[in-house]
Amino acid sequence: MKVILGLSGGVDSSVALKLLKDEGYDVEAMFMRNWDSATNNDVLGNPDIDDEVCPQEKDYQDAMHVAEELGVKLNRVDFIGEYWDTVFSYFLNEYKKGRTPNPDIMCNKYIKFNAFLKHADEMGADYIAMGHYARVRHEADKSYLLRGVDSNKDQTYFLCQISQAQLRKSLFPIGHLTKPEVRKIAEESNLYTAHKKDSTGICFIGERNFKKFLQNYLPSQPGNMVTMDGRIIGKHDGLMYYTIGQRKGLGIGGSHDFKNEAWFVCGKDLEKNELIIGQGHDSEYLISNNCICSDINWICDTPIEGKAYTAKFRYRQKDVPVTLEFLDNNRIRVNYPQGERAVTPGQAAVIYDGEICLGGALIDEVYFNEERRKY
């Protein structure tokens, strides 16, 4: 049984590779090169963009070390064009709309489980494998995506847009392990990446300053920062730099005109280019109890309208009890009567039936009862 594993140069995919080899699979590794600063800057006609050296080359060197240690062939494949067309363009367009996108979800959908899978098929693979904290249960006629055993690292949220056909061809070798167990295996096996720090941030941005990076691609449109009743109390640098529920980076000092409470982003008025802010972590305007979502993707079973499920509206969020209503134009309304804070357009509503991740949809509109929030 031939398996092609996505080897990123991190400890998770390194251990996944070792486990597959130990289990007797005919395994090869593939390093995905998805981002090239010089090429992408040139596409924009702006070769002088202040863009730090991409850490991808270091990751590739680390992947080479691990592949050599385990005696596995490492293939390097460029998906730069596919990434630009399907992930980065989507990322920019969402920010232009004032939304907060999740490019990791699209990277899984279009790159890791599509472009990668097609390339692996050409290499004669029976399965592809990734170092995600998720599990899959393959049955005779259907496959089920299950939460990773480590609830703190579970990555099924980011897999909510993959298809049944993609899941049928996928393995997740470390999904039954916790992060400490993965580290222990790496250390005991003397893998080169055993003590490598986990990567953070968006894949093509890495550890860079997000605001500075985004300014390279989208022009800033400063405007007024206003309270819920319309009082101007400051200036924002551009609506795209802020997300619903954000506290840090607002730059608002104390004032005798307001309570001594922290300020949070409570909404955006795109027509007026105003950032709406309010005081208090649980500001009334930050609470919603239903949202409308599109781009629906069910991985295995289609949910039943009105049945009790749970959902996550952001990664690592505690499960929220929900019911679903099916609307026209391939949309759903997700109801959570108990209320939830900072449900954000552009993010995903991922639906669970116990351990099974059924799939999800992208949040378009957020409501409290019938009142639409200006998110």
Side-chain angles (χ1 to χ4, degrees):
M1 194 75 71
K2 185 170 184 177
V3 180
I4 307 294
L5 176 130
L7 188 61
S8 67
V11 66
D12 296 330
S13 60
S14 300
V15 170
L17 182 63
K18 173 180 168 44
L19 293 179
L20 286 173
K21 187 176 181 187
D22 289 349
E23 289 171 17
Y25 287 102
D26 174 14
V27 60
E28 291 185 25
M30 190 192 303
F31 181 87
M32 291 171 275
R33 185 169 176 262
N34 298 330
W35 185 258
D36 180 80
S37 298
T39 300
N40 291 339
N41 293 343
D42 187 58
V43 166
L44 294 172
N46 191 358
D48 296 324
I49 284 177
D50 181 14
D51 198 1
E52 299 173 20
V53 176
C54 183
Q56 241 180 161
E57 288 306 310
K58 175 64 169 62
D59 290 336
Y60 177 59
Q61 295 298 322
D62 293 346
M64 287 182 61
H65 277 288
V66 172
E68 290 172 3
E69 287 174 339
L70 296 174
V72 172
K73 180 181 178 181
L74 176 63
N75 305 275
R76 175 170 169 152
V77 182
D78 284 357
F79 295 125
I80 294 170
E82 294 92 335
Y83 195 92
W84 179 277
D85 292 340
T86 60
V87 181
F88 192 62
S89 294
Y90 153 83
F91 169 84
L92 293 181
N93 288 333
E94 286 289 278
Y95 271 109
K96 288 177 183 177
K97 298 174 185 176
R99 290 156 58 107
T100 304
N102 196 312
D104 291 321
I105 290 175
M106 294 303 155
C107 184
N108 282 324
K109 179 178 182 177
Y110 292 114
I111 305 300
K112 294 180 180 177
F113 292 85
N114 186 31
F116 182 101
L117 176 57
K118 289 177 181 177
H119 196 87
D121 281 341
E122 293 172 358
M123 297 169 64
D126 297 292
Y127 289 98
I128 62 170
M130 299 289 170
H132 287 74
Y133 286 86
R135 293 175 293 151
V136 59
R137 187 174 75 228
H138 291 301
E139 297 187 355
D141 60 349
K142 190 179 293 187
S143 297
Y144 292 88
L145 180 63
L146 308 178
R147 302 177 196 256
V149 167
D150 190 334
S151 59
N152 189 52
K153 298 294 291 184
D154 170 50
Q155 291 175 300
T156 52
Y157 181 89
F158 300 116
L159 297 170
C160 67
Q161 285 283 320
I162 69 171
S163 69
Q164 173 68 195
Q166 291 167 338
L167 185 63
R168 290 289 281 173
K169 297 273 290 185
S170 300
L171 300 174
F172 301 104
I174 65 168
H176 64 293
L177 299 171
T178 64
K179 184 71 179 193
E181 289 172 333
V182 167
R183 286 283 184 193
K184 184 178 180 181
I185 291 172
E187 291 167 357
E188 291 177 346
S189 305
N190 294 315
L191 293 180
Y192 185 80
T193 55
H195 300 287
K196 185 175 180 177
K197 180 183 175 183
D198 289 346
S199 61
T200 59
I202 298 171
C203 42
F204 50 81
I205 295 176
E207 304 291 343
R208 307 172 198 178
N209 180 286
F210 172 76
K211 184 175 179 181
K212 183 178 179 182
F213 177 86
L214 202 57
Q215 285 174 336
N216 291 327
Y217 297 90
L218 295 176
S220 299
Q221 292 183 308
N224 291 327
M225 199 177 290
V226 303
T227 61
M228 301 296 299
D229 56 4
R231 284 184 285 179
I232 299 173
I233 63 169
K235 297 286 184 179
H236 68 76
D237 298 325
L239 296 180
M240 61 188 171
Y241 303 130
Y242 305 88
T243 190
I244 303 303
Q246 177 180 332
R247 175 181 178 180
K248 295 182 179 179
L250 299 183
I252 303 173
S255 171
H256 294 297
D257 296 330
F258 300 99
K259 296 180 290 185
N260 188 28
E261 291 186 70
W263 291 91
F264 293 85
V265 175
C266 291
K268 301 177 181 182
D269 190 323
L270 298 182
E271 291 183 1
K272 297 180 180 179
N273 191 29
E274 292 179 340
L275 188 71
I276 304 168
I277 60 172
Q279 288 185 291
H281 179 271
D282 294 317
S283 171
E284 179 181 325
Y285 202 74
L286 280 174
I287 305 300
S288 64
N289 59 17
N290 69 99
C291 63
I292 294 178
C293 308
S294 61
D295 293 302
I296 301 169
N297 178 67
W298 303 127
I299 300 170
C300 45
D301 298 331
T302 300
I304 299 170
E305 190 170 32
K307 180 181 175 181
Y309 296 101
T310 63
K312 292 183 185 293
F313 298 110
R314 54 188 174 273
Y315 179 49
R316 285 181 176 162
Q317 176 190 24
K318 185 178 179 181
D319 276 42
V320 176
V322 300
T323 58
L324 307 180
E325 294 177 46
F326 290 85
L327 309 177
D328 58 3
N329 299 319
N330 195 32
R331 300 177 303 154
I332 57 170
R333 184 186 298 275
V334 183
N335 296 300
Y336 37 101
Q338 72 284 355
E340 187 62 28
R341 180 183 183 276
V343 175
T344 304
Q347 293 289 293
V350 182
I351 310 302
Y352 294 86
D353 186 2
E355 288 295 289
I356 300 173
C357 176
L358 297 177
L362 301 184
I363 302 165
D364 285 334
E365 302 171 4
V366 180
Y367 292 82
F368 185 81
N369 295 333
E370 298 181 0
E371 178 188 352
R372 183 177 175 182
R373 299 307 200 196
K374 288 185 178 180
Y375 288 179

